[in-house]
Amino acid sequence: MAELNRKAPNRTLLHIRANWPRFAILYGSIVVALIFIGISAFQGWYGFIPMTLALILILVYFLFMAFWSTQKLYGPYGIRPYHQLFDMGNIRSRSEFIYIDLGLRYQPLSLSRRLTTGKITVIDVYNPQWTTSRALVRWREQMPHPPNDPRVIWLDGNIHLLPIPDASVETVVLCQILSEFWQKGDRITLLNEVYRILKPGGQLLFAEQVRTQTNWLTLGPAALQLPPIKHWHNLLSETRFGVQKQQVIQGLVYCAKATKLTPSQVRQLAFQLDY
């Protein structure tokens, strides 16, 4: 489904601008390699030419795959994992839910177009001490001021205290948020806060890019920076969430539906583990 708002910023270009060093390094390396081939041919260093051509092919491949994965993740006809989570959680047009954000805004705004009388409460938990990515800073700087929309409520918060009462919401969405926190303890802190505000049996809809064969092919060695699926599954279990449904979308993004276990379920799980 294409985005309905034609005036919405091109998120593919926003991502490229935010992550411009990666694209610049790949492109610049190709240019340098081409110049080196010219110098080698002029100086008669013919033995270097085949190796440099092979290097250029590798660099061109990873540059192409960088654009491909960006289009897949952020393009208007890409996988858009936040919509996958919306469907996975069976959210309706009249539903109300919480969306944890880092000031990028475009994801909840896109989801708000699927609501009629429903509401999204967006909580911005960005803090430069906890989320140190320069790409995230550059992306935030490009985002326009949020428009007035009765379906969207904007709140500021932090990972230690979300401005929501205990056990008061049915659904919380965390789409590519936890990976921006470089410390495991901060990730656990945010998940514990999500657990606090969810009603017993409430659902957490979660998505992260993971280390898969597809991401190995698109990112190369940089895929080592992505945690495997097991890491996120264990983190959800550690914070007392029970994973009910999970899938990897086109080999790029891991999506999961987890529920806040009721006290009886927690006791039953603890008994099974002890047994």
Side-chain angles (χ1 to χ4, degrees), residues 29-215:
S29 299
I30 293 171
V31 172
V32 170
L34 288 171
I35 294 173
F36 183 74
I37 285 180
I39 295 173
S40 298
F42 181 77
Q43 296 290 339
W45 303 337
Y46 301 114
F48 291 108
I49 294 177
M51 293 185 295
T52 309
L53 284 173
L55 176 61
I56 290 175
L57 289 176
I58 293 172
L59 292 171
V60 168
Y61 167 80
F62 281 116
L63 182 60
F64 171 80
M65 294 306 292
F67 283 111
W68 177 85
S69 61
T70 298
Q71 187 64 28
K72 278 290 184 181
L73 288 171
Y74 304 102
Y77 298 99
I79 61 177
R80 298 182 304 161
Y82 44 99
H83 282 286
Q84 301 284 348
L85 294 178
F86 191 98
D87 296 332
M88 181 180 285
N90 294 316
I91 299 175
R92 306 301 180 189
S93 62
R94 299 184 298 275
S95 300
E96 298 185 7
F97 61 97
I98 302 294
Y99 198 102
I100 308 298
D101 196 21
L102 291 171
L104 302 185
R105 306 189 192 107
Y106 72 87
Q107 296 178 345
L109 286 174
S110 179
L111 292 180
S112 69
R113 300 186 187 104
R114 302 182 62 173
L115 302 179
T116 53
T117 58
K119 292 185 183 298
I120 305 177
T121 299
V122 184
I123 305 176
D124 185 354
V125 296
Y126 173 76
N127 187 305
Q129 295 179 345
W130 306 326
T131 51
T132 58
S133 169
R134 294 300 303 168
L136 178 60
V137 173
R138 288 189 290 267
W139 201 330
R140 283 173 55 90
E141 291 172 349
Q142 298 179 80
M143 298 310 299
H145 188 76
N148 292 324
D149 190 326
R151 298 167 296 182
V152 186
I153 301 171
W154 304 94
L155 298 176
D156 290 325
N158 65 72
I159 61 174
H160 299 281
L161 182 62
L162 299 176
I164 303 293
D166 295 0
S168 61
V169 298
E170 296 282 355
T171 301
V172 175
V173 179
L174 274 175
C175 185
Q176 296 175 276
I177 296 297
L178 287 183
S179 58
E180 295 290 349
F181 293 89
W182 64 281
Q183 290 189 356
K184 179 182 177 182
D186 293 334
R187 298 173 179 179
I188 291 176
T189 298
L190 179 53
L191 284 174
N192 284 334
E193 270 299 284
V194 170
Y195 188 90
R196 176 185 66 82
I197 67 175
L198 278 175
K199 297 178 181 179
Q203 62 179 355
L204 165 63
L205 302 173
F206 172 88
E208 285 293 347
Q209 199 169 0
V210 290
R211 194 187 307 162
T212 61
Q213 184 176 2
T214 301
N215 279 321

